[in-house]
Amino acid sequence: MTSPVIFSTLHTASGHLFGMATLNNPAALNALTLPMIELLDAQLVQWAGQDNIAGVIIAAEGDKAFCAGGDVVSLHHAAKKAAQSGAKAGEAPPEAAEFFEKEYRLDYRIHTYPKPVLCWAHGIVMGGGVGLMMGASHRVVSPNARVAMPEIHIGLFPDVAGSWFLQRVPHNAGLFLGLTGAIINSGDALHCKFADVVIEHSKFPEVLDEIRNSHWAGIGQNDRKTLSTLLAPFSTETPAPLLLQHQQEISEVVSHGSAAAVHAALLKLLGHPDTWLNRAASSYVHGSPTSAALFQHLYQRLKNASLAEVFRIEYQAAVGCCAHHDFPEGVRALLVDKDKNPKWSVKDVEEVAESTLAEILRPRFKGAHPLDDLH
């Protein structure tokens, strides 16, 4: 049976090696499953401890996608099975706690990795795929990249540290991206600092040859500089950032303080003559109101939080979402039955009670936080 992640090494001119991890589930757009997460994390730990490994490359099979997100369908089935077996109301299936703990631990490891990490994120990069990319020291996207955090459509929220990196999008536009799940292009990825360089996907073999032919020091800081220098000549032109084109309209939405006011401003974009803005507003309207309220709460609450603290709070929120009605219902409507007609628990954000958010966010573990060791 073919492994869902393929591991190999590149031999370089200096005698050092580059570890290479290739996501290998192209039929599912390389959606991250728990086995893939476990394999990746274990290998990254091993490579971090090997002196002859100068750096790591994370890439993916197939021409369409780097990674379209996490394997939420499995979590939907787990939640449904738990409900049918008589699980107490408000309790999440154990599979959810395991999945999010291990996914966030992997993402945090990439953010804090002692060696350069090149993430080659071509094509579709969404949700959990953005989580893998964000922590890499060198993030490459292809010119045709389609990047998004569309979790609002399935009753989740922009997780994998979305509450952290969306804060850092210029002009507060990260709030707009999280609420609408809007798809942005490679120019936006540079503008938002989600990516460092745009390179044609067809150039990947040439980049690998340059890595093989280069001399590496085996010292993280030095090798990061070498990798940056190596990638620069491959840079290509990018489309104009959509966020800059629509900066005024987006600013008018996110300038409001309350969730209800932002909601009203987004509704005004429905039917906008610009297709992208109209689609963003429509996506917001069809998303989960509870997810929208939860994301706005986290966006405000975690403004000054450390990355580790963001992962800890998001863990509680993600597991809590799996115990809430909207997540299994959203996944059912979008990815299982595919009727695209979810029956959300409330009709708009004004109906989301503070007690609902508190219930989603409450700890569902005993003793120390499962991610307490992140620093």
Side-chain angles (χ1 to χ4, degrees):
M1 183 176 179
T2 306
S3 174
V5 185
I6 299 171
F7 298 108
S8 58
T9 52
L10 304 181
H11 293 260
T12 72
S14 59
H16 294 90
L17 303 176
F18 257 72
M20 187 164 172
T22 306
L23 308 183
N24 187 35
N25 191 16
L29 301 180
N30 296 308
L32 271 181
T33 64
L34 182 58
M36 293 168 75
I37 291 167
E38 292 173 332
L39 286 168
L40 267 171
D41 197 51
Q43 188 63 68
L44 285 177
V45 170
Q46 181 178 329
W47 280 336
Q50 292 181 229
D51 292 338
N52 63 333
I53 296 288
V56 171
I57 303 162
I58 302 176
E61 286 290 344
D63 294 326
K64 292 183 178 180
F66 168 65
C67 177
D71 179 23
V72 293
V73 173
S74 293
L75 297 180
H76 159 85
H77 291 315
K80 186 175 180 180
K81 182 179 178 181
Q84 291 173 342
S85 62
K88 294 180 181 179
E91 293 305 314
E95 292 90 342
E98 182 181 18
F99 181 89
F100 289 114
E101 177 189 347
K102 291 182 176 179
E103 181 185 25
Y104 295 178
R105 189 174 294 281
L106 169 63
D107 290 339
Y108 189 77
R109 192 178 310 285
I110 296 172
H111 274 275
T112 58
Y113 208 63
K115 303 178 182 188
V117 177
L118 167 60
C119 182
W120 190 274
H122 71 284
I124 298 170
V125 191
M126 297 185 182
V130 178
L132 289 178
M133 177 177 72
M134 284 304 302
S137 61
H138 295 72
R139 300 158 300 176
V140 173
V141 294
S142 55
N144 67 341
R146 301 174 69 217
V147 182
M149 295 296 291
E151 290 82 359
I152 192 171
H153 302 148
I154 56 169
L156 195 57
F157 65 97
D159 65 329
V160 293
S163 307
W164 183 82
F165 61 74
L166 288 173
Q167 300 272 1
R168 288 152 175 78
V169 176
H171 309 296
N172 206 28
L175 179 61
F176 182 88
L177 294 179
L179 289 173
T180 63
I183 298 173
I184 56 176
N185 62 34
S186 56
D188 289 297
L190 290 180
H191 170 69
C192 296
K193 295 182 170 56
F194 290 178
D196 303 296
V197 62
V198 176
I199 301 176
E200 292 281 359
H201 182 47
S202 61
K203 296 292 184 180
F204 191 41
E206 293 180 39
V207 171
L208 296 182
D209 283 341
E210 284 296 313
I211 290 174
R212 290 187 185 96
N213 294 331
S214 296
H215 287 77
W216 305 91
I219 301 171
Q221 184 176 0
N222 294 19
D223 290 338
R224 288 187 186 94
K225 291 180 180 178
T226 300
L227 186 54
S228 295
T229 302
L230 183 155
L231 292 172
F234 290 97
S235 177
T236 190
E237 293 184 6
T238 63
L242 294 162
L243 293 179
L244 285 181
Q245 291 180 45
H246 306 300
Q247 184 177 320
Q248 181 177 343
E249 294 92 340
I250 293 171
S251 294
E252 289 174 0
V253 170
V254 300
S255 62
H256 300 283
S258 70
V262 171
H263 171 76
L266 278 166
L267 292 184
K268 291 180 181 179
L269 291 179
L270 285 172
H272 195 283
D274 181 86
T275 302
W276 186 80
L277 283 173
N278 178 55
R279 186 180 294 124
S282 180
S283 295
Y284 167 76
V285 169
H286 287 92
S288 162
T290 301
S291 292
L294 176 61
F295 175 59
Q296 283 197 262
H297 171 83
L298 293 172
Y299 192 84
Q300 295 299 324
R301 173 179 173 178
L302 298 173
K303 272 193 181 300
N304 299 310
S306 68
L307 179 61
E309 183 61 19
V310 166
F311 274 120
R312 283 191 278 269
I313 297 301
E314 286 192 354
Y315 167 84
Q316 292 176 207
V319 175
C321 282
C322 291
H324 185 263
H325 166 273
D326 281 12
F327 174 69
E329 171 61 11
V331 177
R332 177 206 65 76
L334 192 67
L335 301 172
V336 179
D337 296 340
K338 300 182 180 180
D339 57 36
K340 298 184 179 180
N341 187 31
K343 307 297 182 184
W344 302 126
S345 55
V346 296
K347 293 183 179 179
D348 62 56
V349 293
E350 293 180 312
E351 297 180 39
V352 181
E354 289 187 13
S355 58
T356 299
L357 300 184
E359 168 61 17
I360 290 173
L361 286 163
R362 72 173 173 86
R364 287 172 167 79
F365 53 84
K366 295 179 180 179
H369 195 291
L371 297 175
D372 190 52
D373 59 322
L374 304 187
H375 299 291

